Every structure is written in structure tokens, then in C-alpha cells.
Amino acid sequence: MSRLAETYACVPTTERGRGILISGSPKSNNILYTNGRSVIILNLDNPLDVSVYAEHAYPATVARYSPNGEWIASADVSGSVRIWGTCNDFVLKKEFKILSGRIDDLQWSPDGMRIVACGDGKGKSLVRAFMWDSGTNVGEFDGHSRRVLSCAFKPTRPFRIATCGEDFLVNFYEGPPFKFKLSHRDHSNFANCIRFSPDGSKFITVSSDKKGIVYDGKSGEKIGELSSEDGHKGSIYAVCWSPDGKQVLTVSADKSAKVWEISEDGNGKVKKTLTSPGSGGVDDMLVGSIWQNDHLVTVSLGGTISLFSASDLDKAPLLLSGHMKNVTSLAVLKGDPKVILSSSYDGLIIKWMQGIGYSGKLQRKETTQIKCLAAHEDEIVTSGFDNKGFATALKKDWLLICRDHSNFANCIRFSPDGNGHKGSIYAVCWSPDGKQVLTVSADKSAKVWEISEDGNGKRKETTQIKCLAAHEDEIVTSGFDNKIWRVSVHGDQCRDADSVDIGTQPKDLSLALLSPELALVSTDSGVVMLHGTKVLSTINLGFTVTASVISPDGSEAIIGGNDGKLHIYSITGDTLKEEAVLKKHRGAVSVIRYSPDVSMFASGDVNREAVVWDRVSREVKLKNMLYHTARINCLAWSPDSSMVATGSLDTCVIIYEVDKPASGRLTIKGAHLGGVYGLAFTDQCSVVSSGEDACVRVWRLTPQS
């Protein structure tokens, strides 16, 4: 038997220049947000209390609790709305096709009988209100000409609906059946979010023009604004009301959240500006918010969730984070099995603690930003958020940068010295701090360069992570930049990293655990042996390599091929000598792992089969492991070598006992939406898994009698 013990939730999917909409439960401190095709239910009082609804066929965009808290309506990019129960395995009640395009927001009526949804579509089909149980239309919504970003249902009678969107308009509708009453064009940029106060007496809109405007909830007339004094310096993406309707919380691209006091006449004054610790980069822009009882929740572009206390605004926020993309690798520290490291496709490494959850980011992905750019023939002029202007001359294969307009002699040039572009450079932009530039080229690549004080440019390394290995206080990663990185870790901080370029893209990475300086990296046509960051040898094996592993003592390597064969090599110095070839798999080998006692090894293939082998006799020890329905992506052994677990594209994890027939397997169905990509045992009765849904889960195993 198995049970789900802990889920380390993914973070909300975010998009640059767009707000995200999160909602809360009327009965508890649960909040709802979306990532991919999943709807996440997260308890703010206990972040390990996580539930995931994963029945959407397309990426989900928004989810809302019904007023009684018994139902949830969630929408996706296809324009569909699914209504499902919060209990009893999320039973689906209804599904309706509402719009022809993406749904950006939806709201329930206060009686729970109607739902309004808005977004993108064809013609005038940008807003629609319907009965929750039949899908019947309850009005006509004219007046918008472009994508409608937000909608709100007045929480008291007489019912009203207000909408806003990319056409800068705020529209007001009376009903039911609802019909257009009036429209305002008080904003000069996208109107991003609209919300009614809890008593329905007012509603507020916020916009990319940095303004917040308050309207009367019954008539729809403008009654006030948020003060520009100490206001936001960037686009405002989201707004929400306090439970008593006397304050609002706004979040902005200026990386701050502000609490405003709303007077009776509808004007707002800043009460408190809230900031979260961060790098100060683009990822710290705030794009979502909710006021959930005593919790003030903000969400950054990088996905970090900050929890402030409404009763003590001076208290430092609690930070929650996780992965936004597919979690491709897992590692458990041998010295402390409660520490779990996970890496995702976007190059982020997260540290988790069993029983606690999120424990810090060990690596951050760098980004850049530009404000203005103009080009003429072979010159580009740029301006950024550092108050500087730059003139840039473009030639084939190199870039000329002038530090300022007053001294064109103060120019530098950096040319392709192996790390630079191999083709014409077409565009350049500066980072906000003026210390980095981003270039794009005809060689189909973009590169980030660090510009030193003396004006020289050095390429800054940013890459996606494919493989991850950890040993004590060191992390070893490989990615799509042809490099192997070794990073020493102290607490939650990464120290300086060393790298080695192996000249081709790594496919698999394995450490000799008794001598972790020794690493085996497989490439498409062979393997590379490393000692630290020094290449010992590059060996062409004459067949297509798909997986590899090195024994803990570094004396043996097993390499799997596209033909399904396992090649066993002895290692002497920096050379390999083939000792045997094992034939059992009927598809390309996808993963190989030694057992902890090194008496066995296990392999899996793309044809859904796993095999356990005896290392000494090289005979099959456990066969007929054919219970997956798709390729096997990952494999892990229990600490005592008595069990082996496999994870597959079929979303399942299967645990086999080596001394029992494969038919006695334990199957965890639907472990991860989209497939399982990482597996590790933390102890004899606990398995950690990760997958395409960007979540990490801990499973408790109960021995079968």
C-alpha cells in the first residue's frame, strides 16, 4: 500500500506583462491558482496541505470557489469552464464551452446560480454570463472591442456586472438578464483588474497606466481615485479588497505591494508599502494578489508567494516558492536524507525539507529588460531603466558599444572567441542595472554578457538543466550548453561554480559516489570521463548512447544504447575496456542505476520494460517488469537494495520487491500529470517523485503482508 504523505506544490504560471488571478475559499484559508493543466488548492496555514485538480485538457487559467465553498469553477485557454466539487474526489458536475478563446477571469454571482466569464474570442464574444447548472445565457455583453482581462459580479442585490480590458474601457451592465448600461474610458492603458467591495457599494479598477479608479457599485459612476502621491511607479496588475471593504491591496511591476485606505468619498491613500526580499530583478515584479482573512498574499513574476500578516504589516513575510516548469531531476543528500534537491527545465534548483517543504532556491535564472530601442542601417540606439542612452554599431560577428553620447572614444569591442556569436548580431539591449547586455544573432542564439567597469564583455552563463547529481555539499549539473557545472553549496546559498565544456550536449550524468570527483557523462556517440572539471578522456564507442552509469568505486561503467543493449566496461585510468554485452531490452535503454550495495543494477527502456540484473553473474534477477504503458523515464533503489521503483511517461510509479515476482508490484497511479521524470528513496518506506506538473511528492509505503 502507498499513501501520499506530502506535496511540494508548484508555483502559479506567470507571464511577463500580464497579471494573474488567484482566489480564496469563503470557509478557510485555502487559495486557488493554476499551473499548466492543473488547478492547485493550497492551504496558507499549512503549505504542505495541497490538493491538485488535473482534469483540464488544456492549460488552466483561472479558478474560483462558489459562495458556499462547495464547488469550484475553473477555466482554460480553450474557452471551457469546468464546475467540480471540492470534496469526494473532485466530482465533475458540468462542463461548458463558454468562449472561442482563452478565458482570463470568471466570477460567481452571490447566490451561486450564475457565472460570468471573460477573455478572448471572435467578434463580440468576449464576455458571457450563464446559469451554473444549465449553461443558459443570462444577458448580452456588448461594448468591448478587444480582449477582456477581468470581470466582477456585484455581491449584493441589485445585481451588476463590471468588466475591463485591453481596449482601456470599463463597462457596466445591469440585470439579469444583463444588458449594457454605460462605459468609462478613464484609463489610458490596459485595464488589468476589476473588483467589487464586499458590501457591493463600490468597485475599483487598476491599470497599466499606474492608476486605480473607484466607481459607485450601483450606478457605475466614477467617485474617486487612488492618490498619485507615493503611488505605484509601474503597471498595476491586480487589486483586492479587505474583508471589511475599507482597504485595498494592489501589486505592481515596480516590485511593490501597497495597502490603501479607501475613504467614504471613494479616494484612496497609501497606508503601507510592502516589499519582499529578492534580487531586485525582473522576477521580483508582482503580478497577483489576494486578501484572504488575515493573510495578504502577493505573487511575483518568478512565482514566489509572499504571505504578509494583515494585523502586523511590519512583520517580515513568509516566502513560499517552488517550480514553474517540468521537474526533470531529483537528488537526496546521503548525509541528510530529509534534504531533497530538485531541478526543473528552466534551470532552477530548489531545496526541500521533509516535514517543512520549501527551504530555499539554490540557483536563480537571470533575465534582462529593455525600455526603448531604435535602429537605422548598422546602428542601434537603446535606452534602459538605468537612465542612460547608448549608441551601438553593428558589424558581422562583433559588437561595438559606446558608454555614453558625450565620449564616443570610450568604446569597447568584444568578438567571438569561442563563446561569442558566429553570425551577424542584429539587436542588443541593456539590463536595468546597466551591467549586462543581451544580444541576438543570425546564428540562432541569444547571449547575455557581463560588462565590466573597464568596458570588456564576458558571456554570462545561463542554461537549462537536464541532469542533476548531488554529493554532500556539492551539486553537479549538466544542461543544454554542452557544459558540466560543479557548484558547492553552503546552507541555502550557492558558492562559485566551476564548469567544463565537453564539446557536445550531455545526455546522462553519473558520479562515482565513493570518489565524487570522478564523473561519467554520456553523449550521443560515446562518453566523457571527468575528474572535477578536467576532461580525462573523450571516448567514441561506435554506437548511439542513450544512458550510462558508473559504479560507486569508479571501476566499472554500464552504458546503454539505442539498440537496447547494455555494454559493461571496466575502467582503468582514463580508458574503458568492454567486458560484456547484455541483451534483454527491446527498445532504447533510457535509464540505468546500481543498487546501493552494488550487488545488482537495474535498467529501463522506452518500450516500457525494466530489468533487474545480478552484477556478478550478469544474469536477469527480476524479469517481466512490463507493467508500465509508456517509456520509463527514471529509476531508483531503496537504501537496503530490496526494492526498485520506476517512473514513466504514463504518470505512474511502480515499486517492485526484488525477491518477489514482478506481479506483486505496488502501483501509484496518476503520480504526476504529464509523466514522472524524477525518483528517489529517502528511507526504506518513503519515495520522492517529480514530474511534468512541476510538483514534488513524498509517498509513504506500507509493506505488504
Side-chain angles (χ1 to χ4, degrees):
M1 297 290 291
S2 66
R3 66 177 179 86
L4 179 60
E6 296 176 359
T7 297
Y8 308 141
C10 57
V11 296
T13 297
T14 61
E15 180 184 353
R16 179 79 181 271
R18 299 279 185 190
I20 65 166
L21 303 175
I22 55 180
S23 66
S25 168
K27 293 183 175 181
S28 67
N29 277 328
N30 286 349
I31 62 170
L32 296 174
Y33 59 84
T34 62
N35 181 298
R37 293 190 288 138
S38 302
V39 177
I40 312 299
I41 307 174
L42 176 69
N43 189 317
L44 297 179
D45 297 324
N46 177 18
L48 295 181
D49 182 6
V50 179
S51 299
V52 180
Y53 179 77
E55 299 300 321
H56 277 279
Y58 297 89
T61 54
V62 62
R64 303 284 183 193
Y65 277 97
S66 64
N68 63 10
E70 299 297 323
W71 302 95
I72 292 174
S74 56
D76 59 35
V77 298
S78 73
S80 296
V81 173
R82 294 175 67 92
I83 301 171
W84 40 281
T86 57
C87 304
N88 300 323
D89 297 324
F90 305 141
V91 174
L92 178 68
K93 180 174 178 65
K94 293 288 183 179
E95 181 175 13
F96 303 110
K97 181 72 172 179
I98 301 303
L99 301 179
S100 59
R102 172 192 175 102
I103 293 177
D104 286 303
D105 196 6
L106 63 81
Q107 288 279 341
W108 291 78
S109 63
D111 60 3
M113 300 300 293
R114 303 166 184 85
I115 296 174
V116 60
C118 67
D120 208 355
K122 297 178 181 179
K124 297 181 179 180
S125 302
L126 302 173
V127 184
R128 184 180 167 193
F130 58 96
M131 300 300 295
W132 85 294
D133 54 352
S134 65
T136 306
N137 284 350
V138 288
E140 296 293 331
F141 294 86
D142 299 325
H144 282 291
S145 59
R146 296 184 64 183
R147 180 175 171 181
V148 180
L149 299 176
S150 188
C151 58
F153 220 122
K154 184 170 177 284
T156 56
R157 293 181 183 273
F159 290 157
R160 301 286 188 267
I161 288 176
T163 61
C164 64
E166 290 185 353
D167 53 8
F168 310 168
L169 296 179
V170 175
N171 288 351
F172 194 70
Y173 303 87
E174 290 181 336
F178 293 96
K179 59 182 179 180
F180 178 83
K181 181 184 180 183
L182 58 86
S183 180
H184 295 283
R185 197 183 177 91
D186 300 311
H187 289 294
S188 58
N189 208 328
F190 291 177
N192 294 316
C193 189
I194 187 167
R195 292 292 177 261
F196 275 96
S197 61
D199 62 3
S201 62
K202 307 177 186 71
F203 68 92
I204 185 172
T205 62
V206 293
S207 166
S208 293
D209 63 7
K210 310 170 191 176
K211 292 181 180 179
I213 299 177
V214 182
Y215 300 87
D216 181 80
K218 185 176 181 180
S219 67
E221 296 297 332
K222 177 181 175 180
I223 58 176
E225 290 188 20
L226 300 183
S227 173
S228 59
E229 182 179 352
D230 198 27
H232 284 294
K233 302 299 188 293
S235 299
I236 306 176
Y237 289 127
V239 63
C240 54
W241 290 85
S242 61
D244 61 6
K246 296 180 180 180
Q247 301 176 74
V248 295
L249 172 67
T250 58
V251 293
S252 167
D254 65 8
K255 309 179 184 66
S256 72
K258 293 182 184 290
V259 178
W260 306 75
E261 289 184 332
I262 306 299
S263 61
E264 289 300 320
D265 61 4
N267 291 307
K269 182 174 68 173
V270 174
K271 176 183 179 182
K272 181 72 174 180
T273 298
L274 307 175
T275 57
S276 299
S279 66
V282 174
D283 279 353
D284 292 328
M285 290 181 175
L286 299 182
V287 294
S289 68
I290 184 173
W291 196 314
Q292 184 68 11
N293 301 321
D294 190 53
H295 295 288
L296 275 66
V297 183
T298 66
V299 181
S300 71
L301 182 64
T304 299
I305 300 172
S306 300
L307 305 183
F308 294 89
S309 172
S311 56
D312 186 4
L313 294 177
D314 293 322
K315 184 179 179 181
L318 172 66
L319 301 182
L320 304 175
S321 193
H323 293 287
M324 194 181 297
K325 303 293 184 181
N326 178 5
V327 183
T328 55
S329 300
L330 282 178
V332 174
L333 297 186
K334 300 298 182 183
D336 187 357
K338 288 189 176 296
V339 177
I340 301 166
L341 300 179
S342 58
S343 66
S344 54
Y345 176 77
D346 55 1
L348 183 66
I349 300 175
I350 298 288
K351 178 182 177 183
W352 311 93
M353 294 288 292
Q354 284 193 65
I356 298 175
Y358 174 71
S359 185
K361 294 181 181 180
L362 297 181
Q363 186 169 313
R364 291 182 66 90
K365 183 178 70 174
E366 302 294 336
T367 54
T368 56
Q369 189 178 10
I370 186 173
K371 187 175 183 181
C372 301
L373 181 147
H376 176 69
E377 295 180 351
D378 60 352
E379 184 180 59
I380 289 180
V381 182
T382 63
S383 65
F385 290 90
D386 52 0
N387 302 327
K388 295 181 180 179
F390 298 87
T392 307
L394 299 181
K395 303 286 186 180
K396 178 175 175 59
D397 297 349
W398 59 274
L399 175 67
L400 184 69
I401 297 180
C402 294
R403 277 290 184 180
D404 55 62
H405 292 296
S406 62
N407 182 14
F408 279 88
N410 183 18
C411 297
I412 57 94
R413 164 184 171 179
F414 49 90
S415 58
D417 55 0
N419 286 325
H421 286 295
K422 304 299 188 293
S424 299
I425 299 173
Y426 289 140
V428 61
C429 59
W430 287 91
S431 63
D433 60 8
K435 296 179 180 179
Q436 301 174 58
V437 293
L438 171 68
T439 57
V440 292
S441 168
D443 63 7
K444 303 179 182 178
S445 72
K447 297 183 186 295
V448 179
W449 306 80
E450 290 182 330
I451 308 300
S452 61
E453 289 302 318
D454 61 4
N456 291 313
K458 177 183 177 183
R459 184 185 168 196
K460 185 175 181 66
E461 304 296 341
T462 57
T463 183
Q464 298 166 334
I465 292 177
K466 186 175 183 181
C467 303
L468 168 76
H471 180 75
E472 295 181 353
D473 59 351
E474 186 177 52
I475 297 173
V476 185
T477 65
S478 66
F480 295 90
D481 60 352
N482 301 347
K483 292 187 177 181
I484 307 299
W485 290 86
R486 285 184 177 266
V487 187
S488 59
V489 179
H490 180 69
D492 294 338
Q493 301 297 320
C494 286
R495 294 175 176 172
D496 290 341
D498 295 321
S499 68
V500 57
D501 193 326
I502 63 172
T504 186
Q505 186 173 302
K507 301 188 73 173
D508 204 352
L509 168 67
S510 177
L511 299 181
L513 296 180
L514 299 181
S515 180
E517 287 293 306
L518 183 61
L520 182 72
V521 181
S522 62
T523 64
D524 191 58
S525 59
V527 294
V528 178
M529 295 182 64
L530 302 174
H531 188 273
T533 54
K534 178 183 177 182
V535 176
L536 296 178
S537 60
T538 300
I539 304 170
N540 191 321
L541 297 175
F543 60 88
T544 302
V545 177
T546 54
S548 63
V549 68
I550 189 170
S551 63
D553 61 3
S555 64
E556 183 181 76
I558 305 173
I559 300 172
N562 195 54
D563 56 3
K565 297 177 182 178
L566 294 174
H567 300 257
I568 301 179
Y569 296 87
S570 60
I571 299 176
T572 305
D574 58 359
T575 62
L576 300 181
K577 180 183 177 182
E578 187 170 274
E579 300 290 343
V581 178
L582 306 182
K583 301 177 182 179
K584 174 66 176 175
H585 290 286
R586 293 169 291 180
V589 179
S590 55
V591 61
I592 313 168
R593 293 291 182 268
Y594 279 101
S595 62
D597 63 7
V598 205
S599 66
M600 298 170 285
F601 60 89
S603 54
D605 64 35
V606 299
N607 198 35
R608 70 187 180 86
E609 183 178 13
V611 181
V612 175
W613 306 80
D614 184 273
R615 186 189 179 194
V616 176
S617 66
R618 294 168 182 162
E619 298 292 332
V620 175
K621 188 174 180 67
L622 182 61
K623 57 183 179 180
N624 298 325
M625 300 165 69
L626 280 159
Y627 294 97
H628 284 295
T629 58
R631 66 169 288 153
I632 295 175
N633 291 323
C634 50
L635 186 152
W637 284 89
S638 63
D640 67 355
S641 303
S642 66
M643 293 184 289
V644 63
T646 56
S648 169
L649 191 63
D650 64 7
T651 76
C652 297
V653 174
I654 300 180
I655 297 102
Y656 301 91
E657 293 188 56
V658 175
D659 294 330
K660 294 182 180 180
S663 58
R665 70 203 178 279
L666 172 62
T667 302
I668 303 173
K669 295 182 178 180
H672 293 275
L673 177 67
V676 182
Y677 286 87
L679 274 179
F681 277 83
T682 60
D683 57 47
Q684 193 60 29
C685 298
S686 300
V687 178
V688 185
S689 64
S690 65
E692 191 173 303
D693 58 4
C695 293
V696 177
R697 293 186 170 91
V698 179
W699 308 88
R700 296 278 189 264
L701 308 180
T702 303
Q704 300 182 32
S705 57

